[in-house]
Amino acid sequence: MSDRTTVPEQLFLLGNLGTMITYAAIAVAIAVPLARAGQLRANRLAVATALIFLTSAIGHGLHAYLAFANLDREEHSVAIGWLWALAWWNVFTAAVGVYYWTVRQRHAPLRGAIYTGPHQQRLLDEADAHRATLEAVVEHTDDAIIGLTLDGIVTAWNGGAERLFGYPAAEITGRSVALLADEEGGVEQAEIRRRIIDQRERGVTYETRRFAKDGTPIEVSLSVGAIRDRTGRPAGISVVARDITAVKEAAERRRVVEERTHQAQRMESLGKLAGGVAHDFNNILAIIVNYTDFAVEEAAGNESLETDLKHVRSAADRAINLTRQLLTFTRGDTIQPRDVNLNAALAEVQAMLERTIGEHINLITVPSAEPVVVHADPGQIQQVLLNLAINARDAMPDGGTLVLEANAAAIDGDELDMQPSLPAGTYARLLVSDTGEGMTADVAAHIFEPFYTTKPRGKGTGLGLSTVYGIVSEAGGSLNVYSEPGVGTTFRIYLPMVRVPGTATPAASRQDDPPPGSGQTVLVVEDEPALARVVTRILAGAGYHVLTATDGRQALALFHQHDCDALLTDVIMPEMSGRRLAEIIHGTHPDLPVLYMSGYSNGLLGTTHVLDGDIAFIEKPFTANDLLHKIAEVVPTAVRPSR
């Protein structure tokens, strides 16, 4: 073998070996970091790049092997099988190259490029800045933006979600999103995810209720959509949640205002109709009454005829009283207003009722400590009290307690349950409370309409409460009704007050800012969900930590699970009263402060022994300012250490 024949072959061998080692090193340099990062399946572009270098390294290795096998041969011949092997390997290498470019085209421009020119680098920097801007927007938006797996496991949680639900991202990531919903809401969430995944819906938007970390219910609008990969298959779920609690409360407030406006318009229309009928009917009654009197005179000595005519006269008198009530309701009757002390009116009505109301009714009057004077017709004030007292008596056929109270009260002008509404200020107030059958919300919405009655046929005209409404509204006042079936009813009548020289001005609502909370935990127990949300929002906004329960059992469970600094509870609740709840808790924690709230007056609750002794009490409806001042009086100023 000559040197001229061996030197080129040796150089060919060394060249292929060097190229093989270089390509193999590049393939290893790409594959090893991918394997360590767990991206061998995910990063197809990098795997395809490593595969090109690997196949090229093997190809050069085959060429080096053939060169080495022919070094000592006189005649350089290659087996046909090896030639086919090299040919097919080159075809395979070309296929790998096609695969690489196919994968490369699916990626965004410049992503994964080994070298980028100045123009490409500028585009890449702009894309990174755009992505950083989007990340900042997502993180700082007020809406909660949440990423989920297809099974509902939280994978992304922005700052808006932390603020809305109270969970830090580190605490909730990896946990099920069902944590934010009750059992019914969890089923609802699973159904929405199934619809998005199976039916390939672009997105679903709906309103529902979710719960914060502290148990506070939150009304939210959810926009749920699928996160899809490049093949269009669902890879996850995106959720955008917006707090609409305030929006729904405002909508409910507008609905109530519109309903009150429509009711006022309806009452005005009915009043005009009733007034016209009453005036015409009075003319007819005048004829009937006078001709009946004439006939009685002519029938002197005819006992049977006299008796019949007296029955006619009695019926006519009843009709006259009925039309008088109609005229009072329509504001058409002649009134003689003057300054009236409500304490004196209360005493006069008490004297009349004690003789007529019946022994089965426990009648109690609670006069005001200071004179409370209004400018009104004294007869009409008595008529208001008598009508309400008679209705209360009829609602207690088996006996009960009737309480008449007079005092002064301040309102802020935003109350929704006043008929009609009143501007803010201090007013004289009459309260008529009973422990009777009570009314449903549907019945209470119609009780001031003329001719509306729940009494049996022949037992009521349906004009008693409409007359009360007419008298009070004519005097520039307003009414409020609070009632629960099976518990009782409280009517509150607000009238403009006349200042009396030498008497103390009744205290108005405190206008100074109440002291803020410092994280004290208040257990709120209220069986009316809408009111519970309002109270929770007021206290939480003032710095208190709030736990909310809808009944006594739930309240006891929450109390044993958490450290509580005070109890704010409704007095009258189904199954367990607020007083009974406080007694159970005081059995183990006698020093826990308790603030009671109720739509019934303190006078009624005290006289019926629902509440006894020197207790902290706030009467519904109350303002946020009143509640925060009252809660600050009973809640400890510092957070207690954990039990």
Side-chain angles (χ1 to χ4, degrees):
M1 182 174 60
S2 65
D3 291 340
R4 270 190 314 183
T5 59
T6 59
V7 170
E9 293 172 350
Q10 291 172 351
L11 291 175
F12 180 78
L13 171 62
L14 291 174
N16 277 284
L17 286 174
T19 304
M20 178 192 72
I21 293 171
T22 301
Y23 283 169
I26 294 174
V28 170
I30 296 174
V32 170
L34 284 177
R36 290 176 178 174
Q39 297 182 7
L40 284 176
R41 293 186 179 182
N43 195 338
R44 295 183 180 181
L45 180 61
V47 171
T49 305
L51 193 58
I52 286 179
F53 285 106
L54 179 62
T55 55
S56 298
I58 294 174
H60 283 283
L62 290 174
H63 283 86
Y65 173 76
L66 291 177
F68 177 77
N70 286 315
L71 282 178
D72 297 329
R73 294 183 181 181
E74 292 289 338
E75 294 182 3
H76 305 301
S77 61
V78 179
I80 297 299
W82 279 104
L83 290 176
W84 278 107
L86 283 172
W88 282 111
W89 188 260
N90 288 333
V91 171
F92 176 72
T93 302
V96 171
V98 172
Y99 171 71
Y100 167 80
W101 284 109
T102 301
V103 174
R104 183 69 180 80
Q105 292 302 315
R106 292 179 182 175
H107 283 67
L110 307 180
R111 298 301 180 201
I114 296 175
Y115 170 75
T116 56
H119 176 67
Q120 294 173 323
Q121 185 61 46
R122 180 175 61 81
L123 294 178
L124 187 59
D125 292 341
E126 290 177 356
D128 289 339
H130 180 64
R131 184 172 63 253
T133 301
L134 287 178
E135 291 176 353
V137 170
V138 169
E139 180 62 25
H140 295 93
T141 183
D142 289 336
D143 292 341
I145 300 178
I146 305 168
L148 306 174
T149 66
L150 297 180
D151 296 328
I153 303 301
V154 177
T155 57
W157 188 263
N158 76 331
E162 290 186 358
R163 291 185 291 273
L164 180 59
F165 295 107
Y167 288 96
E171 180 178 347
I172 199 169
T173 301
R175 303 174 70 179
S176 174
V177 73
L179 186 68
L180 305 178
D182 54 16
E183 183 176 351
E184 181 178 350
V187 174
E188 175 189 63
Q189 288 179 155
E191 175 62 20
I192 294 296
R193 292 201 305 272
R194 186 194 65 77
R195 286 168 53 189
I196 291 176
I197 295 170
D198 297 346
Q199 301 178 19
R200 303 179 67 84
E201 293 189 32
R202 182 176 182 85
V204 176
T205 300
Y206 63 105
E207 295 180 0
T208 185
R209 177 180 296 178
R210 292 295 179 261
F211 295 88
K213 183 178 180 180
D214 61 2
T216 303
I218 306 171
E219 300 293 335
V220 293
S221 173
L222 297 181
S223 179
V224 186
I227 302 173
R228 302 186 183 276
D229 60 19
R230 295 187 180 277
T231 65
R233 293 178 300 180
I237 302 291
S238 68
V239 180
V240 178
R242 174 168 294 179
D243 185 359
I244 59 171
T245 303
V247 174
K248 295 195 74 170
E249 288 177 355
E252 176 65 15
R253 192 181 188 89
R254 286 194 300 271
R255 185 194 66 78
V256 173
V257 170
E258 290 173 359
E259 183 178 321
R260 298 301 186 203
T261 301
H262 293 158
Q263 184 178 12
Q265 293 171 346
R266 192 165 60 246
M267 296 284 284
E268 183 177 358
S269 298
L270 288 171
K272 291 179 180 178
L273 174 62
V277 171
H279 282 290
D280 291 343
F281 194 49
N282 263 343
N283 293 332
I284 298 172
L285 284 174
I287 297 172
I288 294 173
V289 168
N290 284 284
Y291 275 100
T292 301
D293 290 342
F294 296 156
V296 170
E297 293 177 1
E298 294 293 330
N302 187 338
E303 185 175 349
S304 177
L305 182 58
E306 282 186 349
T307 301
D308 291 342
L309 290 173
K310 287 179 180 178
H311 285 307
V312 175
R313 187 66 168 81
S314 176
D317 288 339
R318 289 175 57 194
I320 291 172
N321 290 331
L322 181 60
T323 54
R324 183 176 295 116
Q325 286 185 314
L326 275 172
L327 288 172
T328 301
F329 162 69
T330 60
R331 307 176 184 181
D333 202 10
T334 302
I335 59 174
Q336 297 179 343
R338 64 170 189 250
D339 290 351
V340 179
N341 188 332
L342 292 186
N343 284 345
L346 216 61
E348 292 175 2
V349 171
Q350 180 185 20
M352 287 186 282
L353 290 175
E354 284 178 342
R355 297 190 300 268
T356 60
I357 201 168
E359 296 181 356
H360 64 302
I361 302 297
N362 179 27
L363 176 63
I364 299 173
T365 58
V366 184
S368 173
E370 295 285 345
V372 181
V373 179
V374 299
H375 192 69
D377 185 289
Q380 288 191 336
I381 295 297
Q382 290 183 8
Q383 188 176 2
V384 166
L385 291 171
L386 287 173
N387 279 347
L388 294 178
I390 296 303
N391 278 351
R393 180 201 63 187
D394 294 342
M396 299 182 287
D398 298 324
T401 299
L402 172 62
V403 180
L404 307 179
E405 301 179 59
N407 53 39
I411 61 175
D412 60 9
D414 292 329
E415 290 80 5
L416 293 178
D417 47 2
M418 304 288 282
Q419 302 185 48
S421 60
L422 287 179
T426 302
Y427 292 83
R429 184 172 66 169
L430 288 169
L431 297 94
V432 180
S433 305
D434 66 67
T435 58
E437 298 170 349
M439 297 177 286
T440 64
D442 292 337
V443 171
H446 298 284
I447 56 175
F448 295 118
E449 297 177 2
F451 307 112
Y452 179 85
T453 180
T454 58
K455 296 179 180 179
R457 183 181 297 274
K459 296 294 185 180
T461 64
L463 285 172
L465 290 178
S466 59
T467 300
V468 169
Y469 180 90
I471 292 173
V472 173
S473 57
E474 177 69 15
S478 181
L479 296 99
N480 165 268
V481 183
Y482 181 86
S483 185
E484 290 188 28
V487 179
T489 302
T490 293
F491 284 88
R492 294 177 177 83
I493 297 107
Y494 296 85
L495 296 169
M497 190 162 55
V498 176
R499 302 297 181 187
V500 178
T503 61
T505 300
S509 292
R510 298 177 62 176
Q511 299 300 317
D512 56 313
D513 293 333
S518 56
Q520 301 99 321
T521 298
V522 180
L523 176 57
V524 176
V525 191
E526 170 57 58
D527 60 338
E528 177 59 44
L531 181 57
R533 290 195 296 271
V534 170
V535 173
T536 298
R537 186 167 183 174
I538 291 172
L539 294 179
Y544 295 95
H545 178 241
V546 184
L547 303 173
T548 307
T550 57
D551 55 45
R553 291 185 179 180
Q554 186 181 7
L556 288 174
L558 285 174
F559 181 79
H560 292 306
Q561 294 171 8
H562 304 273
D563 294 326
C564 297
D565 297 290
L567 171 66
L568 172 60
T569 179
D570 195 4
V571 178
I572 307 297
M573 296 185 295
E575 297 184 8
M576 184 186 300
S577 69
R579 180 62 182 271
R580 178 57 183 157
L581 171 64
E583 289 175 351
I584 294 174
I585 293 177
H586 281 162
T588 54
H589 298 81
D591 297 330
L592 183 75
V594 179
L595 174 60
Y596 294 97
M597 56 182 172
S598 178
Y600 298 105
S601 68
N602 198 12
L604 175 64
L605 296 175
T607 55
T608 55
H609 302 289
V610 176
L611 290 180
D612 291 327
D614 185 15
I615 51 92
F617 178 81
I618 185 169
E619 188 176 310
K620 303 175 188 175
F622 46 72
T623 65
N625 196 57
D626 292 336
L627 176 60
L628 293 176
H629 273 296
K630 200 70 178 180
I631 202 73
E633 293 175 5
V634 300
V635 176
T637 57
V639 181
R640 296 184 310 169
S642 299
R643 291 196 293 265

